[in-house]
Amino acid sequence: MLSAYLNALFPVVFCAVLGLILARRTTLLDSPALSRLVTLIGLPALILKAMLGMDTPIWSVSDTLIAILAVLALSAVVGAIALKLSGLEVRGYLSMLVNPNTGNLGIPLVFSLLGDQALVHAVVVSTVVQISHFTLGVWLLSGRFSFKAIFSNASIIALLVGLVWVATGIEAPEAVTRTLDILAGMTIPVMLLLLGRSLASINLRELGQVWRIVGLSIGRVVLGLGSALAVISVLPLESIVAHTILIQASMPVAVISYILASHYNGPKDDIAAVILLSMPVSLLAVFAALHFV
């Protein structure tokens, strides 16, 4: 089990570290257009590819949708209570605790550990978490709520198109699937390189109290994993869905939490530190969950 886990994890960590090194020593990843390319083309193509190539019933995806919504809701309630009891600001820290890094790290890790059949569930989870970032996250940090940010998101549009296409039962033309294969092929490696670039750009010089950072890092992973275990124990999910939810819910703090906190004057330095510290905690938690559950 350990050998299989390390073999699956190695390419994920290697690409992320490569991105960090390239960001610090070269300008290859400096262009903001690279990130937009993945957001507007790569990830939507990956979502459509997974949806059109799925060999599981459409209701299996709806189970995934219900499960991740339940995990996020439970995490939000428990996280808000925990922050209140610890004296930390709910506005600044709740979204960070609730929304894991299901994109840059979660999708590649699910793909490495569970294979192609889990990819459709991973992208559904990731898209729901993206919606949560632009609803719960933006609302908490800014005090405003915007439907425009949700329905202008390319990944959400791709998910809706894929759901409608699969529901009609129409087989996708081979030309379309081959095109999606080419476009989607760039997504996972580039996402991991960009994750490394984001980690390289984080400034930790104004780091706050160490114990707060440690507590938040462990809390993110424990909150996600605990909520996933609770939901899985209640809902009758297929094994592949349950494992995908466990992995995705146990991911570290998302880099987008740092970006939103920087934009809306949130606790960005704390979040930057938690991103780094929660990553090894997350990877250990994933191994433990897959080994014992």
Side-chain angles (χ1 to χ4, degrees), residues 245-258:
I245 294 293
L246 274 177
I247 294 172
Q248 291 282 57
S250 302
M251 288 296 96
V253 173
V255 176
I256 193 173
S257 294
Y258 173 80

Side-chain angles (χ1 to χ4, degrees), residues 6-292:
L6 292 177
N7 287 335
L9 184 62
F10 177 80
V12 175
V13 175
F14 178 84
C15 290
V17 172
L18 178 61
L20 188 149
I21 294 172
L22 289 175
R24 288 184 173 176
R25 297 180 177 240
T26 74
T27 60
L28 294 175
L29 302 177
D30 285 356
S31 174
L34 188 60
S35 179
R36 287 183 57 80
L37 178 66
V38 173
T39 302
L40 297 177
I41 304 296
L43 191 54
L46 183 66
I47 292 172
L48 277 176
K49 175 192 172 185
M51 294 295 294
L52 299 183
M54 61 184 292
D55 53 7
T56 54
I58 190 66
W59 298 114
S60 176
V61 178
S62 65
D63 288 345
T64 307
L65 180 63
I66 293 171
I68 188 57
L69 287 173
V71 169
L72 294 179
L74 182 58
S75 298
V77 172
V78 176
I81 295 173
L83 288 172
K84 283 287 187 181
L85 293 176
S86 62
L88 294 177
E89 188 181 32
V90 174
R91 168 191 170 272
Y93 294 100
L94 183 58
S95 178
M96 174 198 75
L97 291 178
V98 171
N99 299 314
N101 188 346
T102 55
N104 299 68
L105 185 58
I107 290 177
L109 190 57
V110 169
F111 177 75
S112 295
L113 291 173
L114 304 180
D116 284 332
Q117 59 182 340
L119 192 56
V120 63
H121 305 292
V123 296
V124 168
V125 170
S126 181
T127 304
V128 172
V129 171
Q130 282 194 55
I131 297 173
S132 180
H133 274 297
F134 289 102
T135 52
L136 177 68
V138 173
W139 172 60
L140 286 172
L141 289 167
S142 70
R144 300 190 303 272
F145 180 82
S146 173
F147 279 106
K148 181 180 179 180
I150 301 174
F151 292 106
S152 61
N153 187 290
S155 296
I156 297 171
I157 295 172
L159 179 64
L160 294 175
V161 171
L163 286 171
V164 172
W165 199 326
V166 173
T168 61
I170 301 174
E171 185 177 353
E174 184 179 355
V176 173
T177 57
R178 285 176 177 267
T179 302
L180 291 175
D181 285 343
I182 294 173
L183 293 175
M186 70 173 178
T187 308
I188 289 178
V190 174
M191 286 171 71
L192 289 172
L193 291 174
L194 292 178
L195 172 63
R197 185 195 69 180
S198 298
L199 294 178
S201 66
I202 292 173
N203 180 9
L204 300 180
R205 287 179 297 179
E206 299 180 3
L207 180 62
Q209 295 182 2
V210 173
W211 288 113
R212 181 173 69 245
I213 303 304
V214 172
L216 288 169
S217 301
I218 297 175
R220 155 78 290 274
V221 177
V222 170
L223 180 64
L225 180 59
S227 299
L229 288 172
V231 169
I232 288 170
S233 67
V234 174
L235 296 180
L237 300 174
E238 293 182 9
S239 176
I240 192 70
V241 177
H243 281 86
T244 301
I245 294 293
L246 274 177
I247 294 172
Q248 291 282 57
S250 302
M251 288 296 96
V253 173
V255 176
I256 193 173
S257 294
Y258 173 80
I259 296 172
L260 291 175
S262 300
H263 184 72
Y264 293 109
N265 297 318
K268 61 183 180 67
D269 293 322
D270 281 2
I271 293 176
V274 174
I275 288 173
L276 295 177
L277 187 56
S278 63
M279 188 173 294
V281 176
S282 168
L283 298 178
L284 289 173
V286 169
F287 172 74
L290 293 180
H291 184 72
F292 293 109

